[in-house]
Structures are given as structure tokens and as C-alpha cells.
Amino acid sequence: MTDAAHRSPIVRLAPAKLNLTLAVVGRRDDGFHDLHSVFVPLALHDVLTIAPTGTAGDDTLHVTGLDAGPVGDNIVLRAVGAARETVGAGPWRPPSPPLAARLDKRIPVAAGLGGGSSDAAAAFDAALEAWGALEVVDADRWRDAAAKLGSDVPFFLTGEPALVEGRGERLTPLKGVHGHPGILLVTPRVVVRTPDVFAVFDGARHGAPGDGAVRMTSAHLAQELGNGLSATDLIARAGVLASANDLLHAAAIVAPGLVAVRRALTRRLSRPIGLSGSGPTLWTLYPSLGEAEAAAFDVATAVADGTIPTIGEGPPSIIATTIRTGHEGGTT
Ligand code: C5P
């Protein structure tokens, strides 16, 4: 790679994810949980730009868009640090000068949509490219470093539809969904910390795994998406999928208002409403982006007139997007 290529900014679209199913298979000795979960990437994405700072000093990060908390705590800086460590540990060590990252944050933060994990995977990859070191890091070291950054990060290294097992490190690629079903995402502004949800889950189940029916639904969907499923067939399964999340009840205990919001959305939209990951994002499937956008408008109206309750720190984030198929860009 030429010096000029090193200096040109690298732009990565970091997609959100949705868990169409989430079965908790068991608790592990390391405190994490083994999962069986079907992940699909969404068109909704953050935009990450990385370039060498051109000076000595630390890596920097500038965030625009949604509030992502203190910059010093941002996982993007940790991912760049992890990439530098990985390069430094290899047999051939290209220089890894300080990088300047810019993040345009569009995915709601701490929402069960994997935004931070996706940013981390994008930053890791972009940092390696900025240093001309992509070919220096083999796939195993890359996956290990990703898993250390967070359970969902390995999924975002490819960002393809996948059956995700173990803590998040075992991935089976799936063909996914044909077409572009619309997704409405409603994220109440309540804090739902993932460790709290798993702790409540463990307390309620006394260490036992989740509901066998959720596990069966997840296995069945993984098989179907393995062969490829049409948008129409996916939507026909929305009712089953909306309850195929073992963390639903625990999330509702951590954020009690979530139940009222889910109920009000069900009444307003007359469609099944699911929870992504450990929440608090609630999702609904539509045949097209246009229909999801119309529903977003309807939900915004219902929030404004109080038909859908506002919980936490203000009105929810309401986003219409689509399931992403293949390596396409896309906006909401
Ligand atoms: O790996 P990540 O930082 O996303 O995990 C956050 C927390 O969620 C962990 O500390 C753990 O409490 C819980 N977790 C889990 N099992 C998983 C993923 C996350 O128990 N498979």
C-alpha cells in the first residue's frame, strides 16, 4: 500500500443488528451466557471515518449525531487500541501511528441494536487498513480481539445474517431474507443495562436455561434462514418471533414501563411487537420500508397525544429501516 493510500480517510458504515430470536441456552462458568440467536443486520447504520492524525500523540475521536456518552469511554478508541496491540503482537509490525476517528452516531445507544459493537468492529477494521496492516492480522487473532471487545463484535466483522451461538463468538452464516422487509424500531429512553437483564434472568430461572419453546423457534428460524426466506414468509412468522426472546420478562422487570409501551404499540399497530437483544428497543415487521415509515409517523402521533406512554427521559426514538441483505449501504 502506498503512503498516499495510508493518508486518505477510510469510511465505514457500521450497521445496527436485530435479534429475530434470542434463546438463553445456559450460564457459563465465566459468568456469560451461551446463546442461540438469529442476528440480521439493518440498513440503519453509524458512519465511521478514520485517518492518521499526522502528528504524534493519542488517538482522537469526534462524535456527532446522537449522544454516545463521554468520548474517552467510547468503544471506538478501545477498538483502535486493540487493533494496535494486535498488530504489535504479530511477526511483521507495520507502524501504527495515532488515528483521528469521526463517528456520526445514528443508531440509538445502549438500545439492544448493537451500535457500539458495530462501531468497534468497523474501527478495528478501519484502523488496520489505515496502517496498511489488514493482511498482517490473521482471521483467528482478529476474531479473538473482536470477542474481547464485546460479545456482539464478532458478528459485525462480517455483518451478514447469522446464527450466533456461544457467548457470541460462534457464527454460522445464513442466507437471510430475500427482499427488504421494513422494520419499525421504537426505543424508549430508559436505561436497560445488559448485565442487569441477565442477572434478573438468572435470579428468576435459578440458573436454569430459558424457555425450550424459544430455543425451538430459534433453531427452526435458523434452519429456514439458512435456506433463505422471503419477506412475506418472515412476516408470517412475526407472531412467534415476537415472543422468541428469553430476556423479555427480565427486561420488563429492569424497566417496568416497557410492558405498557409494548402493549400500547400492539394495540395501535395491531401487529406483534418483539424486543431486540436485552432491549429496550421494540420492533415490528412490515412488508416494505414505506409501510414501516407510515407506522413510524403513526407512532409519533400516538406518543404526542399520550396514547403510547412516554417512559424514562423523554419521547422514544422512532426509526423506520429495513433488513439489510448483502453488502449494500442504505439509509433510513
Ligand atoms: O460482552 P458484552 O460487553 O456485550 O456483555 C455485557 C454483559 O452482558 C456481560 O458482562 C454479561 O453480564 C452479559 N452477557 C452475558 N452473556 C452473553 C452476552 C452478554 O451474560 N452471551
Side-chain angles (χ1 to χ4, degrees):
M1 190 174 285
T2 66
D3 208 32
H6 284 240
R7 288 178 196 289
S8 49
I10 290 147
V11 182
R12 289 279 185 279
L13 303 189
K17 59 87 176 161
L18 192 72
N19 301 85
L20 289 173
T21 60
L22 197 168
V24 180
V25 176
R27 192 165 190 278
R28 303 160 29 137
D29 291 342
D30 62 6
F32 284 87
H33 294 75
D34 281 323
L35 307 179
H36 188 288
S37 180
V38 173
F39 279 47
V40 288
L42 301 181
L44 172 67
H45 61 268
D46 292 338
V47 183
L48 180 77
T49 309
I50 275 188
T53 57
T55 56
D58 294 332
D59 301 311
T60 62
L61 173 65
H62 179 72
V63 182
T64 54
L66 299 175
D67 182 4
V71 165
D73 296 346
N74 197 290
I75 195 168
V76 164
L77 289 175
R78 262 190 289 143
V80 171
R84 184 174 288 111
E85 219 171 88
T86 309
V87 167
W92 178 65
R93 300 170 194 180
S96 49
L99 298 177
R102 289 182 162 269
L103 178 65
D104 183 12
K105 193 77 204 151
R106 304 174 186 184
I107 305 170
V109 176
L113 295 170
S117 303
S118 188
D119 296 342
F124 193 92
D125 183 73
L128 294 184
E129 187 170 340
W131 298 323
L134 273 174
E135 58 288 343
V136 175
V137 178
D138 66 45
D140 284 346
R141 279 203 294 143
W142 189 311
R143 270 193 299 268
D144 284 353
K148 278 191 196 128
L149 283 166
S151 305
D152 290 345
V153 181
F155 165 76
F156 287 109
L157 290 180
T158 63
E160 299 294 323
L163 164 63
V164 176
E165 292 176 281
R167 178 195 150 190
E169 73 284 6
R170 264 181 25 236
L171 299 166
T172 308
L174 304 174
K175 279 209 178 108
V177 183
H178 307 308
H180 297 270
I183 310 271
L184 173 67
L185 303 171
V186 177
T187 311
R189 284 191 214 282
V190 285
V191 178
V192 179
R193 292 181 62 251
T194 306
D196 294 347
V197 175
F198 276 104
V200 169
F201 174 87
D202 286 337
R205 309 285 303 184
H206 304 292
D211 187 343
V214 171
R215 174 74 172 76
M216 270 172 63
T217 300
S218 191
H220 192 219
L221 184 75
Q223 194 181 27
E224 290 190 309
L225 287 198
N227 298 324
L229 198 63
S230 73
T232 311
D233 285 342
L234 181 71
I235 287 160
R237 287 153 183 70
V240 181
L241 299 179
S243 52
N245 184 335
D246 274 328
L247 297 178
L248 246 176
H249 298 295
I253 290 169
V254 172
L258 212 50
V259 174
V261 177
R262 187 167 178 237
R263 206 173 285 142
L265 279 169
T266 310
R267 262 200 306 271
R268 182 76 179 201
L269 302 173
S270 305
R271 282 182 176 266
I273 309 290
L275 178 81
S276 188
S278 56
T281 297
L282 298 162
W283 58 261
T284 318
L285 290 171
Y286 285 90
S288 66
L289 175 60
E291 283 157 278
E293 283 171 341
F297 185 78
D298 187 34
V299 168
T301 309
V303 168
D305 70 19
T307 318
I308 293 176
T310 290
I311 60 169
E313 295 165 16
S317 143
I318 304 166
I319 295 173
T321 185
T322 60
I323 292 182
R324 185 166 162 266
T325 49
H327 285 290
E328 37 182 305
T331 51
T332 55

